[in-house]
Amino acid sequence: MAEDPTARSEFSALTHCFERGQKTTAREFGIVKADLTAARSQVGNLDQKVRGLDEKLNQLVEEMRGLNAKIMHAKLDRNHAQIVELLTALVGKKPNEC
């Protein structure tokens, strides 16, 4: 059976389109793969930065707690000193003189 030149031409054109599509797909896949690799690297870097910021935030929270404790202690000391001053001023006075 002799080959049909039209069928052969159409088959050749379809084969060419398929091969071109395969090359395009492979190239696009390579680009996407490279982009994903770069994105993974960036995500890794961001993760490290977030961990670093988390550590700094925890340090700041601890420092603030310490500072708050010092402030509260200073207020108590001041209040205590005022009470001592008032009591000292009242010592020796008659209750009706206050």
Side-chain angles (χ1 to χ4, degrees), residues 2-81:
E3 289 187 27
D4 181 8
T6 305
R8 184 174 182 167
S9 175
E10 288 177 2
F11 181 74
S12 178
L14 287 172
T15 302
H16 177 71
C17 286
F18 177 78
E19 288 172 349
R20 187 175 49 195
Q22 289 286 31
K23 288 178 185 176
T24 300
T25 301
R27 181 172 44 87
E28 289 172 351
F29 178 76
I31 291 169
V32 169
K33 187 176 177 183
D35 288 348
L36 284 174
T37 301
R40 282 187 187 122
S41 176
Q42 290 174 353
V43 167
N45 291 341
L46 288 174
D47 188 46
Q48 288 176 345
K49 289 178 182 180
V50 167
R51 275 190 245 130
L53 289 173
D54 188 45
E55 290 173 10
K56 288 180 182 180
L57 180 61
N58 288 335
Q59 289 173 352
L60 285 173
V61 166
E62 289 303 316
E63 289 175 10
M64 290 300 293
R65 285 183 182 148
L67 182 59
N68 191 38
K70 286 180 182 179
I71 290 170
M72 293 305 293
H73 188 70
K75 285 180 181 179
L76 289 175
D77 285 349
R78 188 180 72 228
N79 290 343
H80 184 260

Side-chain angles (χ1 to χ4, degrees), residues 1 66 82:
M1 178 184 235
Q82 288 174 339

Side-chain angles (χ1 to χ4, degrees), residues 76-91:
L76 289 175
D77 285 349
R78 188 180 72 228
N79 290 343
H80 184 260
Q82 288 174 339
I83 291 170
V84 168
E85 280 182 39
L86 291 172
L87 290 174
T88 303
L90 292 174
V91 170

